[in-house]
Amino acid sequence: MQLTVWCCKRVKKMGVKQAIKSLDAFPRAEEHLLQKTQSGALVSVIGLVIMATLFYHELAYYLTTYTVHQMSVDLQRGEILPIHVNITFPSLPCDVLSVDAIDMSGKHEVDLDTNIWKLRLNSHGHITGTEYLSDLVEKEHEAHNHDHDKDHHKDSHEEQHTHGFDDAAETMIKKVKQALANEEGCRVYGVLDVQRVAGNFHISVHGLNIFVAQMIFDGAKHVNVSHIIHDLSFGPKYPGIHNPLDGTARILRETSGTFKYYIKIVPTEYRYISKDVLPTNQFSVTEYFSPITDFDRTWPAVYFLYDLSPITVTIKEERRSFLHFITRLCAILGGTFALTGMLDRWMYRLLEALTKPNRGSGFL
């Protein structure tokens, strides 16, 4: 009786093992039944190369970051707006160029922490000298209005002073005319720190006494404000930023006028994958050129008129999840392995079909 019970348990146990083995999706063949071929080796090598290449590209894709853009209302107030300037004027000497900035209220700021430099350039564009420009930036130019009802019995020396033709002016006129004859230019670069409100800054000859400017250029039409904008930005640069005015060149031939760049500044925050935040600004721009006519009383200049958008753009760096990487990796490697297995079987059957007739003819 005990023997019968033991046999029944043994049969049941063997049945469970066989049921489990039937679930094996990777059955093993006997070693003597496996046949290795040259075609199989070739397909295996090709498959390994493909899988290694795809693995490398998938790993690089996983390690690289991508950016997500979000928009919200700008809540920043009372901050400083840095303006990075790097502009070359190939036809105007540094002695006549001045930089002026004014905000929305119409007041000139005089207490800004501003660093602006002028580089003297020769006719070939090489630097020959440097001049600090802080005294020309953010200052209110004095008006040169003359009262024609004044006493006409002043001596000639006083009359010269009234019209700005003192010894210093005469010296400057000679110096600038010599620089113009030598085809000197000027590069203006540095940082303007202005209030975070709408305003403008411009580079021109407005810092000169009107009569001195007339003596130098013999009229506004001869003031060539040709310029090359190497860099114009409103904050530090982040990966992928595009400043639309960088590399802009406007060269005038036998004419002159006023350039106006209307800039819309968009406050931007760039958040790195390391959680560091870089506050900056990007902008769009439209351009307008107004040629000088014989009846104009204004002098040529290059204006940058800016306004701020009420919307802030937040750019975040993000990385793809590790589970996403593993899923794609399994799909790529598994698909490649299955494809190479199919290719191996097809090649084996093709070679077998081609060689079988030859084997049969050998026995005849």
Side-chain angles (χ1 to χ4, degrees):
M1 185 68 180
Q2 292 181 350
L3 180 61
T4 304
V5 173
W6 181 83
C7 289
C8 291
K9 289 183 178 179
R10 184 70 176 178
V11 169
K12 290 181 180 180
K13 189 174 182 180
M14 293 294 293
V16 172
K17 287 184 178 181
Q18 290 297 328
I20 293 175
K21 287 183 179 181
S22 66
L23 299 177
D24 186 7
F26 307 99
R28 301 293 186 272
E30 295 294 334
E31 189 70 27
H32 68 277
L33 297 177
L34 298 176
Q35 182 179 0
K36 296 184 178 181
T37 62
Q38 292 183 351
S39 62
L42 178 62
V43 172
S44 299
V45 171
I46 294 175
L48 288 175
V49 172
I50 293 175
M51 285 189 286
T53 304
L54 293 177
F55 173 78
Y56 170 77
H57 284 284
E58 190 62 30
L59 181 61
Y61 178 74
Y62 166 70
L63 295 178
T64 55
T65 59
Y66 65 98
T67 56
V68 176
H69 292 68
Q70 298 176 345
M71 292 186 293
S72 59
V73 177
D74 182 22
L75 302 178
Q76 302 181 55
R77 292 184 297 175
E79 298 185 4
I80 296 298
L81 177 67
I83 305 176
H84 299 263
V85 179
N86 188 354
I87 305 175
T88 293
F89 291 83
S91 302
L92 289 176
C94 290
D95 293 308
V96 300
L97 282 177
S98 63
V99 180
D100 193 21
I102 187 171
D103 62 17
M104 188 176 179
S105 66
K107 296 180 180 179
H108 289 75
E109 301 288 345
V110 296
D111 295 327
L112 297 179
D113 183 16
T114 302
N115 295 307
I116 293 291
W117 294 82
K118 293 191 298 183
L119 301 179
R120 291 177 55 199
L121 307 176
N122 59 21
S123 59
H124 301 290
H126 300 149
I127 299 173
T128 60
T130 305
E131 179 181 349
Y132 191 52
L133 230 170
S134 61
D135 58 329
L136 296 177
V137 179
E138 305 300 335
K139 72 176 182 180
E140 185 174 1
H141 300 300
E142 297 181 357
H144 298 283
N145 298 323
H146 305 282
D147 187 358
H148 294 286
D149 297 329
K150 288 184 178 179
D151 186 3
H152 295 284
H153 297 289
K154 296 180 179 179
D155 58 22
S156 59
H157 181 71
E158 291 177 344
E159 188 174 352
Q160 282 185 330
H161 259 284
T162 303
H163 294 285
F165 292 105
D166 54 9
D167 294 338
E170 290 288 350
T171 302
M172 181 180 180
I173 292 172
K174 293 179 181 179
K175 181 181 178 181
V176 173
K177 284 188 173 182
Q178 183 62 42
L180 289 171
N182 295 335
E183 299 181 351
E184 283 191 15
C186 185
R187 174 176 289 191
V188 179
Y189 82 99
V191 181
L192 290 171
D193 292 322
V194 299
Q195 297 296 324
R196 197 180 181 83
V197 294
N200 77 80
F201 71 96
H202 56 274
I203 305 174
S204 63
V205 297
H206 294 169
L208 294 176
N209 181 304
I210 186 65
F211 300 101
V212 173
Q214 186 69 30
M215 287 292 296
I216 293 174
F217 297 102
D218 192 23
K221 295 186 68 174
H222 298 97
V223 179
N224 190 341
V225 290
S226 298
H227 58 280
I228 303 170
I229 303 176
H230 305 285
D231 176 48
L232 180 68
S233 57
F234 296 84
K237 296 182 178 180
Y238 61 84
I241 190 173
H242 172 66
N243 293 324
L245 285 178
D246 289 0
T248 299
R250 298 291 179 265
I251 307 299
L252 299 176
R253 308 288 184 186
E254 299 180 357
T255 186
S256 188
T258 296
F259 289 90
K260 291 185 178 180
Y261 297 95
Y262 296 92
I263 298 172
K264 177 66 72 172
I265 300 174
V266 181
T268 303
E269 281 188 353
Y270 192 89
R271 299 180 179 271
Y272 290 93
I273 195 71
S274 60
K275 306 302 181 181
D276 293 333
V277 179
L278 178 67
T280 182
N281 300 279
Q282 51 185 326
F283 65 93
S284 62
V285 62
T286 56
E287 177 184 349
Y288 175 73
F289 173 71
S290 176
I292 288 289
T293 65
D294 295 331
F295 304 101
D296 287 335
R297 295 186 177 182
T298 59
W299 288 77
V302 179
Y303 284 85
F304 298 90
L305 302 97
Y306 55 88
D307 194 7
L308 284 90
S309 170
I311 301 299
T312 295
V313 175
T314 301
I315 305 175
K316 294 182 179 180
E317 285 186 348
E318 293 189 0
R319 181 166 289 159
R320 297 161 186 85
S321 68
F322 182 73
L323 290 178
H324 184 258
F325 167 69
I326 293 297
T327 302
R328 288 175 58 95
L329 193 62
C330 291
I332 290 174
L333 299 183
T336 305
F337 185 80
L339 182 62
T340 53
M342 293 172 57
L343 182 62
D344 176 53
R345 287 193 295 271
W346 292 340
M347 290 184 64
Y348 177 77
R349 290 175 182 175
L350 177 62
L351 294 175
E352 189 178 40
L354 293 175
T355 56
K356 183 176 289 186
N358 295 333
R359 290 177 181 177
S361 62
F363 292 102
L364 295 178

